[in-house]
């Protein structure tokens, strides 16, 4: 498996720095089996190593093109060592395991992933924290890759035969030539477009709608936003993952009377939690322009790389009525979807690849700044059936949604079985009280439940 990073994949490299780590991931806990010996770290490492043949990208690293002429390519890591990627931890609490693992940046001289394992938490469970660079996977693919380590039954199948041998890495001259040839192909494809339209005038109509969607999506993404404290401020690399979980049915009960989706409820709950959090910081609650990743895959859930677009919605943190917050969010999300904004955002990123790479990075950094959005809220579907790793049942997995520079917190939700697991990923030195935000969101769910069941 080789290939060049797409413009969207490359953008996540461009916005990363020592303070803004662009990895996605999860912090999971597993229940020890009721019978037999629980696996130790060595068993789990060997189990993971035996599954890597299912995910070739996990043994590839990025290689740059000389002079930055084109996006990097994926090459086999000839020095791959699973012990650099699956590492033990002496942490006895999931909180310490998650914070320690997610506070370090992934090294670019090796495959861009790591799994940290604490095989004996103080409560007897096993803690596993996984992270992969956003240029390699989006949230959906991160869940799928995590599921490669899991089985639907407590008895894992026999180990698979692994015939992997690394291919020799192309030298600098070959990478440069490949980058130039790809640029020529892209420019030739673009140059041929007018001729194709002249030969087939009917195709002009086919382009009108995508162009309109792309125009609207770009205008929406570049709509100016004001930095809002405490969620927008300079950050450091230290991280804390706050979390809580609720029955998924709670969110469905809230949305059902108003025809609101679980994603609508997540946004409304985020607005209610942020409202309380702002007030606790002596800030007047204001709307927050929120980036909502949207999956644009068409059944390609096992495909790596990023197949996401973005919708921007103002979550009404200034609205005191919880029902009205949900109604406003539902209406705004419906309008965005009916206008084709998610598809338009995907088409914008497709078009960006034709720009010079420095221009791509300028646009990327602009979109990643608080001038474009204040907060990220992401709904990432997880496995609904029971899953096991070496006989240990997965109980919960709390998502890690990356934060760009000058963004102090992100909100993610993953469904595991019949539970919704919330992960609030914060720059801990700027927001040392992000656990209070998690509690405020939890209370916002209760508030909405009281309203809809009254």
């Amino acid at each position: 498996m080789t290939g060049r990073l797409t413009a969207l994949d490359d953008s996540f490299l461009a916005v990363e720095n020592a303070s803004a780590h662009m990895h996605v991931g999860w912090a999971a806990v597993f229940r020890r089996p009721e019978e037999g010996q629980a696996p130790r770290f060595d068993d789990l490492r060997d189990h993971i190593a035996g599954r890597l043949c299912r995910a070739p990208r996990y043994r590839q690293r990025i290689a740059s093109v000389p002079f930055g002429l084109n996006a990097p390519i994926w090459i086999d890591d000839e020095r791959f060592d699973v012990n650099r990627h699956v590492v033990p931890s002496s942490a006895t609490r999931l909180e310490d395991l998650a914070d320690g693992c997610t506070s370090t940046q992934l090294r670019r001289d090796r495959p861009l992933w790591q799994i940290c394992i604490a095989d004996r938490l103080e409560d007897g469970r096993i803690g596993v924290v996984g992270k992969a660079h956003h240029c390699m996977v989006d949230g959906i693919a991160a869940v799928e890759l995590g599921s490669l380590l899991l089985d639907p039954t407590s008895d894992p199948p026999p180990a698979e035969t692994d015939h992997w041998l690394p291919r020799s890495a192309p030298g600098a001259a070959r990478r440069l030539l490949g980058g130039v040839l790809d640029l020529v192909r892209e420019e030739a494809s673009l140059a041929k477009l007018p001729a194709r339209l002249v030969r087939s005038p009917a195709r002009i109509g086919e382009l009108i709608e995508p162009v309109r969607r792309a125009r609207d999506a770009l205008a929406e993404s570049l709509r100016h936003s004001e930095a809002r404290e405490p969620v927008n401020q300079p950050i450091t690399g230290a991280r804390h993952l706050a979390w809580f979980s609720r029955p998924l049915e709670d969110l469905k009960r809230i949305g059902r009377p108003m025809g609101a989706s679980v994603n609508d409820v997540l946004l409304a709950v985020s607005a209610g939690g942020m409202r309380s959090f702002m007030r606790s910081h002596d800030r007047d609650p204001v709307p927050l322009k929120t980036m909502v990743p949207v999956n644009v895959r068409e059944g390609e859930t096992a495909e790596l790389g990023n197949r996401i677009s973005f919708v921007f919605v103002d979550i009404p943190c200034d609205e005191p009525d919880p029902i009205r917050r949900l109604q406003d969010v539902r209406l705004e999300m419906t309008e965005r979807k009916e206008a084709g904004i998610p598809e338009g955002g995907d088409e914008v990123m497709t078009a960006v690849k034709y720009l010079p790479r420095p221009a791509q990075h300028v646009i990327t950094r602009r979109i990643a700044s608080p001038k474009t959005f204040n907060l990220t809220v992401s709904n990432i579907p997880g496995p609904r059936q029971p899953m096991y790793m070496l006989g240990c049942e997965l109980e919960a997995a709390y998502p890690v949604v990356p934060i760009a520079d000058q963004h102090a917190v992100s909100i993610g939700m993953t469904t595991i079985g019949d539970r919704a697991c919330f992960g609030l990923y914060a720059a801990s030195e700027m927001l040392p009280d992000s656990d209070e935000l998690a509690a405020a969101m939890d209370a916002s769910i209760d508030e909405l439940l009281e309203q809809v069941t009254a």
Side-chain angles (χ1 to χ4, degrees):
M1 179 183 295
T2 57
R4 189 172 307 283
L5 274 69
T6 66
L8 180 55
D9 295 342
D10 189 32
S11 72
F12 293 114
L13 291 176
V15 300
E16 183 176 48
N17 58 42
S19 299
H21 313 150
M22 286 292 107
H23 50 246
V24 299
W26 32 263
V29 285
F30 293 82
R31 184 190 304 122
R32 299 173 64 184
E34 295 181 2
E35 298 180 359
Q37 185 72 21
R40 301 305 300 260
F41 169 77
D42 289 352
D43 303 315
L44 296 168
R45 179 202 55 209
D46 295 344
H47 173 71
I48 293 168
R51 299 289 177 91
L52 290 177
C53 57
R54 301 183 183 182
R57 185 72 82 223
Y58 266 25
R59 291 187 285 207
Q60 292 187 317
R61 61 181 177 87
I62 56 172
S64 62
V65 174
F67 313 115
L69 191 65
N70 208 329
I73 61 172
W74 293 105
I75 64 172
D76 289 346
D77 182 6
E78 296 173 312
R79 298 183 298 128
F80 178 80
D81 182 356
V82 71
N83 292 293
R84 299 198 298 185
H85 299 276
V86 183
V87 298
S89 171
S90 60
T92 58
R93 300 189 306 158
L94 183 64
E95 174 183 345
D96 298 330
L97 175 66
D99 294 358
C101 183
T102 60
S103 294
T104 58
Q105 189 174 359
L106 289 162
R107 291 179 51 167
R108 296 194 182 181
D109 63 347
R110 58 189 61 170
L112 292 169
W113 65 278
Q114 188 177 61
I115 293 177
C116 305
I117 299 174
D119 59 9
R120 288 294 183 274
L121 297 178
E122 61 184 5
D123 58 11
R125 297 185 296 177
I126 296 174
V128 180
V129 176
K131 61 180 181 179
H133 200 285
H134 212 335
C135 77
M136 177 176 161
V137 296
D138 56 32
I140 301 284
V143 170
E144 291 296 322
L145 286 169
S147 70
L148 292 178
L149 313 177
L150 306 174
D151 296 296
T153 66
S154 58
D155 294 321
E160 300 174 33
T161 303
D162 187 359
H163 298 292
W164 181 79
L165 288 174
R167 286 171 289 187
S168 298
R174 186 176 164 193
R175 298 198 304 273
L176 178 60
L177 177 61
V180 171
L181 289 175
D182 284 350
L183 286 175
V184 170
R185 292 188 191 100
E186 290 172 359
E187 291 179 3
S189 176
L190 189 63
K192 290 178 182 177
L193 180 60
R196 290 199 298 267
L197 292 179
V198 169
R199 290 195 300 268
S200 303
R203 295 196 65 187
I204 295 177
E206 297 176 12
L207 293 176
I208 291 176
E209 182 62 17
V211 169
R212 181 198 64 77
R213 291 197 305 252
R215 178 203 63 200
D216 292 348
L218 186 60
E220 180 61 21
S221 64
L222 296 180
R223 176 171 55 88
H224 187 71
S225 172
E226 297 290 339
R228 303 293 190 185
E229 293 187 359
V231 295
N232 300 129
Q233 53 181 311
I235 61 174
T236 66
R239 295 289 182 269
H240 174 62
L241 183 65
W243 63 72
F244 68 99
S245 69
R246 297 286 296 239
L248 181 60
E249 181 59 26
D250 284 355
L251 279 69
K252 292 181 176 180
R253 285 174 61 199
I254 291 169
R256 207 171 282 132
M258 284 171 281
S261 68
V262 168
N263 196 59
D264 295 335
V265 176
L266 169 61
L267 291 169
V269 166
S270 299
M274 289 303 311
R275 173 180 172 82
S276 298
F277 192 66
M278 287 180 180
R279 297 179 70 181
S280 71
H281 281 253
D282 297 323
R283 306 280 179 183
D284 291 332
V286 294
L288 295 178
K289 187 180 177 185
T290 300
M291 182 174 70
V292 183
V294 177
N295 178 30
V296 292
R297 280 179 164 81
E298 296 180 357
E300 305 165 340
T301 54
E303 177 191 2
L304 297 187
N306 288 274
R307 292 294 294 122
I308 53 173
S309 182
F310 304 97
V311 170
F312 295 92
V313 57
D314 293 320
I315 60 171
C317 307
D318 56 331
E319 172 57 59
D321 187 311
I323 295 296
R324 191 165 295 171
R325 285 197 295 266
L326 178 55
Q327 291 172 333
D328 290 348
V329 163
R330 186 189 69 80
L331 178 61
E332 193 167 353
M333 283 297 292
T334 299
E335 290 175 349
R336 297 287 190 275
K337 291 175 182 177
E338 289 179 349
I341 297 297
E343 295 83 357
D346 187 42
E347 286 148 2
V348 167
M349 291 310 301
T350 299
V352 161
K353 72 177 183 179
Y354 294 107
L355 296 175
R357 196 159 173 250
Q360 294 179 24
H361 291 175
V362 168
I363 293 174
T364 294
R365 293 189 181 100
R366 169 63 169 79
I367 291 177
S369 77
K371 294 180 180 179
T372 299
F373 71 97
N374 306 114
L375 178 69
T376 301
V377 177
S378 184
N379 179 12
I380 306 163
R384 300 298 307 277
Q385 73 274 25
M387 300 296 288
Y388 302 84
M389 186 165 75
L390 282 186
C392 302
E393 185 173 2
L394 174 65
E395 288 192 338
Y398 305 100
V400 170
V401 177
I403 48 179
D405 207 4
Q406 298 188 61
H407 292 79
V409 67
S410 64
I411 298 171
M413 187 190 80
T414 296
T415 47
I416 302 294
D418 59 359
R419 296 197 69 81
C421 299
F422 296 81
L424 289 80
Y425 188 51
S428 54
E429 294 181 358
M430 283 68 237
L431 284 185
D433 52 354
S434 57
D435 287 303
E436 295 179 13
L437 175 56
M441 286 185 59
D442 199 12
S444 180
I445 296 176
D446 289 332
E447 184 181 34
L448 278 164
L449 275 173
E450 290 175 4
Q451 292 284 330
V452 299
T453 58

